[in-house]
Amino acid sequence: MRQEWEPEDLIEVWTLLEEDQERLRNKSGANRLGFALLLKFFEVEARFPEDAGEIPVPAVSYVAQQVKVAADEWVAYDWSGRAIKRHRTEIRAAFGFRECTKEDQAQLAEWLAVELCGVELNRDRLAEAVVARCRNDRLEPPTTGRIARLVGSAVSTFEERFCAATVGRLSAATRSRLDDLIAEDAGTDESAGSGGTFFTELKADPGALGLDSLLAEVNKLQRVRGLQLPPELFGDVSEKLVAAWRARAAKEYPSDLRAAAGPVRYALLSTLCHVRETEITDSLVELFIQLVQKINTRAEKKVEGEFNKELKRVRGKEGILLRLAEAAVAEPGGTVRKVIYPVAGESTSKALAAEAAANEARYRARVRTVLRSSYSGHWRRMLSPLLNALELKCNNTAYRPVMDAIDLLKRYLDQPIAKEGAFFDEEEKIPLAGGGARGVAQGGRGRARPGRAHPVRAVRARGAAGRPAAPGDLGAGGGTRRTICRRTSRTTAMCTTTRSASRRTRRSSSMPFRSGCARP
């Protein structure tokens, strides 16, 4: 109870009513004052004070004035005699309360273990919940020490049940794999937290940003999944509880876990691996996003450096262009060497042309080229492990072509695309750039748009007599030949039409376009 009271609060809370005065008729002196203070304290707190210091001094003075007893008499009140026991019994009866028995305490502990311990981990709040429950049930709550022991008993009971339920959901093979995580290794120093065991790696965060870190996280995720924890292992348990046990397991050394009781050990390892599986998945996504940004940034910096070396700013460009225009107008029949070079020399003219050519379109095209080169030469190694490790989902229909392309790539990850004869099945729908009806090639209807492809190694279909026709080979009459891009793993649709049209007209060419992958 708070010790500082304003006069208005004292009047509202500590004023003795007429029925209270009736209960004081047969009492006098210290017993009269003590009974009155216990009565009002119980009315506010639904419990009795453990000692005289709990009752505020202003309240003692105010109640003493009402009962016409000196405030100093409060010190003489006996806290262990028969009078206080009789007073407590009378006050309980006045408010309809009864004393909390051992059976009541056992019921309270069971209620905590079943209802609250799984969602509330703070023991002080559990103690407050016990007091509130006693008030609701018209029970005088136990003392503070007894409530603390009651809460501790409830928490222990809950943890035993939680561990038993967790072990009951684990197969014998899974328990054996969990034991292997903390198997003793004579070559490691467990007390120092070092060592090369998988248990140590499991608790570690990803390393420096790079391809090796991403592949290491993929391997870590696959090994955690190899434990084969049930998907709904903690489906009926609060996330707060699982996180608390995960944090507890992360602080333990393997030797401590080996020494723990079986149910506790399996519960700790299960929560750690369950949460780490989610955390590693999230870290994989973050690493992938950061790597994509890193690849793009490196490409842009490289291209910017190349442009800065090639590009030489021409001072007084406007004046030079004006003089060039005047010279050309003055002598339209002259040669460049006689008319132009005297105004702007050969080196100046080349610098002007280079500056004009360094536009945004050229810059972006060069960045894309560097990106493709970097990806195909190094970063492409992450595609297959990443797609095997992650299950990608999206409810946005605008990105459906992207999800279809990912699903297609996952189905053909084991295809030997570096060899001849690597084709998609003819029944496959090949998502192309743009999405929608124009972004899917199927049954010969999909065409790669001219000017939007980059060269790759062609994997030609065989349709002649005596040779098996590859899927998508529709003969000379036209159609779509589909293959997998060796450099980017993208799908490509190559259009074939009749052989009679002119080669020079790109958009109506009868010859096949060069093998390429439609850009996203």
Side-chain angles (χ1 to χ4, degrees), residues 19-207:
E19 57 185 7
D20 299 331
Q21 295 287 355
E22 289 290 332
R23 296 189 180 94
L24 296 174
R25 284 185 177 181
N26 58 346
K27 300 173 181 63
S28 62
N31 287 341
R32 182 179 178 88
L33 177 59
F35 181 89
L37 289 172
L38 291 181
L39 179 67
K40 301 308 291 184
F41 186 95
F42 194 93
E43 182 180 349
V44 175
E45 295 289 324
R47 65 179 180 86
F48 292 112
E50 295 187 8
D51 53 52
E54 278 200 69
I55 298 184
V57 175
V60 174
S61 301
Y62 180 65
V63 173
Q65 294 176 4
Q66 297 181 71
V67 298
K68 297 179 175 57
V69 175
D72 297 340
E73 293 288 336
W74 172 238
V75 181
Y77 187 68
D78 187 4
W79 284 80
S80 58
R82 291 182 297 177
I84 191 172
K85 294 180 180 178
R86 187 171 59 252
H87 292 171
R88 287 181 174 179
T89 302
E90 186 176 346
I91 292 172
R92 288 192 206 100
F95 289 101
F97 278 66
R98 62 181 177 85
E99 195 171 2
C100 189
T101 63
K102 291 184 178 180
E103 290 76 10
D104 294 326
Q105 294 182 29
Q107 291 178 4
L108 287 172
E110 180 66 18
W111 170 72
L112 284 178
V114 174
E115 299 292 339
L116 295 184
C117 288
V119 294
E120 181 55 66
L121 307 181
N122 188 298
R123 297 201 176 194
D124 292 336
R125 293 178 181 171
L126 290 176
E128 294 174 359
V130 170
V131 175
R133 178 64 181 265
C134 288
R135 180 193 291 266
N136 185 68
D137 292 347
R138 297 284 179 174
L139 291 174
E140 177 191 352
T143 62
T144 303
R146 287 184 178 179
I147 290 179
R149 291 192 293 271
L150 185 149
V151 169
S153 174
V155 171
S156 298
T157 301
F158 171 79
E159 290 183 349
E160 291 176 2
R161 295 174 180 175
F162 170 70
C163 294
T166 302
V167 173
R169 296 174 180 177
L170 300 176
S171 64
T174 299
R175 294 197 298 270
S176 177
R177 297 186 190 101
L178 291 175
D179 287 332
D180 292 340
L181 286 180
I182 54 173
E184 188 172 3
D185 187 352
T188 59
D189 183 8
E190 295 178 354
S191 62
S194 61
T197 63
F198 179 61
F199 183 73
T200 304
E201 297 176 8
L202 178 63
K203 297 188 292 183
D205 293 329

Side-chain angles (χ1 to χ4, degrees), residues 203-215:
K203 297 188 292 183
D205 293 329
L209 180 63
L211 180 59
D212 292 338
S213 296
L214 185 139
L215 295 178

Side-chain angles (χ1 to χ4, degrees), residues 185-412:
D185 187 352
T188 59
D189 183 8
E190 295 178 354
S191 62
S194 61
T197 63
F198 179 61
F199 183 73
T200 304
E201 297 176 8
L202 178 63
K203 297 188 292 183
D205 293 329
L209 180 63
L211 180 59
D212 292 338
S213 296
L214 185 139
L215 295 178
E217 289 298 297
V218 170
N219 179 61
K220 189 188 301 183
L221 179 60
Q222 291 174 344
R223 293 188 66 177
V224 173
R225 289 175 176 172
L227 298 174
Q228 297 183 0
L229 295 175
E232 299 299 327
L233 180 59
F234 301 109
D236 56 348
V237 180
S238 69
E239 294 182 1
K240 184 189 298 185
L241 177 68
V242 176
W245 278 72
R246 175 250 187 268
R248 176 178 166 185
K251 298 177 183 178
E252 300 287 345
Y253 293 118
S255 57
D256 298 329
L257 291 171
R258 287 195 296 268
V264 176
R265 178 172 68 253
Y266 293 131
L268 287 171
L269 291 173
S270 297
T271 52
L272 176 64
C273 295
H274 174 80
V275 177
R276 284 299 291 152
E277 181 177 355
T278 303
E279 293 174 348
I280 294 171
T281 303
D282 293 340
S283 67
L284 264 180
V285 176
E286 291 295 330
L287 279 174
F288 176 68
I289 294 174
Q290 293 174 13
L291 280 177
V292 171
Q293 294 174 347
K294 179 180 180 179
I295 298 170
N296 189 67
T297 302
R298 281 187 174 182
E300 290 180 349
K301 287 184 177 180
K302 183 177 181 180
V303 174
E304 287 175 359
E306 293 175 355
F307 272 36
N308 290 335
K309 290 180 180 178
E310 296 175 359
L311 182 61
K312 181 180 178 182
R313 296 289 179 181
V314 181
R315 295 183 179 180
K317 179 175 62 177
E318 289 77 8
I320 295 175
L321 292 176
L322 176 60
R323 291 195 296 272
L324 286 174
E326 290 176 346
V329 171
E331 196 173 347
T335 62
V336 173
R337 189 170 298 279
K338 290 183 178 180
V339 177
I340 301 299
Y341 279 0
V343 178
E346 184 176 357
S347 61
T348 303
S349 299
K350 289 181 178 179
L352 286 172
E355 184 175 353
N359 54 22
E360 182 68 17
R362 182 188 171 197
Y363 171 78
R364 289 299 171 191
R366 178 59 182 159
V367 168
R368 286 195 295 270
T369 302
V370 174
L371 277 173
R372 289 196 299 270
S373 176
S374 175
Y375 172 77
S376 62
H378 178 67
W379 300 105
R380 185 186 176 188
R381 286 190 295 151
M382 69 180 173
L383 178 64
S384 179
L386 196 63
L387 290 181
N388 281 326
L390 299 179
E391 182 180 357
L392 305 178
K393 297 181 180 180
C394 181
N395 294 327
N396 192 333
T397 56
Y399 301 114
R400 191 66 257 168
V402 177
M403 301 305 298
D404 292 340
I406 292 174
D407 293 339
L408 179 65
L409 288 178
K410 292 178 73 173
R411 293 198 299 272
Y412 285 84

